[in-house]
Amino acid sequence: MKVYFIGAGPGDPELVTLKAKRLLNSCSICIYAGSLVNPAVLDHLPAGAERYDSAVMSLDEITVLFESARQRDLNVVRLHSGDPSIYGAIREQMNELDRLDISYEVIPGVSSFQAAAAALCTELTAPEISQTIILTRTAGRTPMPEDQDLLKLAKSNATLCIFLSAHKIGEVASTLSGHYGSGCPVAVVYHASWPDQLILRGTLDDIGAQADSAGITKTAMIVVGWALSRDIPVSKLYDAGFSHEYRRAKTS
């Protein structure tokens, strides 16, 4: 048997990969992150598939299910939200599977930061403005390494995609204003790609009040950076006067 760690994507059930859909369609046992995965994604499962919500389970309880599946020679789909490689807590599960000598495979998924960018119809990189994207979060019950504190990351002036921090949006904005400026564009995308998706656009100066007014405290992506502006330099990629391997520059 094998355990498949599958990225369920950001919410829209059509944003799972073809491989993920095939595995879900033939699944016998599915352990899914019920607090984050859109229930509509579970519609890809066969009617008779066993379903277990990991939101109410401990690692030990999940491991027991893995062992039970091996005894019955049944594959397991371990369904995580977004892409499993980002805040997925898969390492500890893999350690248990290694201990039990159970094989596993990871099927990547669309992350919420990508779905947020799509909802915003924006590019997270911008010529001469930002060529770096930082995926991060603020400290909570899980502390942040000191050298990855948000204030230190802000010195890069990169585009920031901040997970798991909607409840601290005011604090985030205040922290970043010193390096990005209070007028820096910010967006908050709640439930990116879900039917109830909500987009807030503003600046570091006003986004906190907007989020408070909308009652957004979780399952939202915060995107910060001047790359969100539309008034930025154009790239060289399609510049008629720029030569590259596939095109010669045109001269007037």
Side-chain angles (χ1 to χ4, degrees):
M1 58 85 68
K2 179 181 279 190
V3 174
Y4 293 94
F5 290 91
I6 292 180
D12 184 343
E14 293 187 328
L15 287 179
V16 299
T17 65
L18 291 174
K19 187 170 186 178
K21 185 175 185 296
R22 174 176 60 79
L23 290 167
L24 287 166
N25 288 164
S26 61
C27 174
S28 297
I29 302 173
C30 178
I31 307 172
Y32 64 97
S35 60
L36 296 170
V37 171
N38 186 347
V41 177
L42 301 180
D43 291 342
H44 291 306
L45 296 172
E50 298 177 27
R51 306 175 186 210
Y52 301 93
D53 183 357
S54 64
V56 297
M57 300 174 69
S58 67
L59 177 61
D60 289 343
E61 290 170 327
I62 293 170
T63 302
V64 167
L65 289 179
F66 291 153
E67 291 180 287
S68 173
R70 180 173 63 179
Q71 291 168 5
R72 292 182 285 164
D73 196 26
L74 296 174
N75 291 337
V76 177
V77 163
R78 181 65 176 98
L79 195 60
H80 286 261
S81 62
D83 181 85
S85 68
I86 304 174
Y87 305 118
I90 59 175
R91 182 181 295 103
E92 59 217 50
Q93 296 174 74
M94 291 175 177
N95 287 341
E96 289 299 298
L97 292 171
D98 288 340
R99 180 178 63 81
L100 296 169
D101 197 26
I102 295 174
S103 63
Y104 49 86
E105 182 179 340
V106 178
I107 314 302
V110 176
S111 173
S112 57
F113 87 90
Q114 296 166 308
L120 295 169
C121 295
T122 195
E123 200 175 343
L124 298 178
T125 56
E128 302 177 41
I129 302 297
S130 177
Q131 294 292 284
T132 300
I133 302 166
I134 295 177
L135 309 181
T136 190
R137 60 169 296 175
T138 56
R141 294 177 68 180
T142 300
M144 289 291 290
E146 184 178 346
D147 58 357
Q148 294 171 30
D149 180 77
L150 193 59
L151 185 59
K152 293 185 178 181
L153 297 180
K155 295 178 181 179
S156 68
N157 277 300
T159 304
L160 299 177
C161 295
I162 307 173
F163 291 71
L164 305 168
S165 304
H167 62 296
K168 291 184 174 182
I169 182 64
E171 179 183 329
V172 167
S174 177
T175 298
L176 297 178
S177 291
H179 288 285
Y180 287 80
S182 61
C184 180
V186 185
V188 175
V189 184
Y190 169 80
H191 266 181
S193 84
W194 292 54
D196 61 345
Q197 172 182 283
L198 177 64
I199 298 173
L200 303 179
R201 297 176 187 265
T203 66
L204 287 174
D205 187 52
D206 63 22
I207 197 66
Q210 287 193 51
D212 288 345
S213 178
I216 296 176
T217 59
K218 61 181 180 179
T219 54
M221 176 62 58
I222 304 170
V223 185
V224 182
W226 287 100
L228 296 182
S229 173
R230 300 301 285 264
D231 185 21
I232 56 178
V234 297
S235 72
K236 296 295 185 182
L237 182 59
Y238 302 112
D239 185 338
F242 183 73
S243 294
H244 56 65
E245 182 180 0
Y246 299 100
R247 189 187 67 229
R248 296 183 63 181
K250 296 179 180 179
T251 56
S252 56

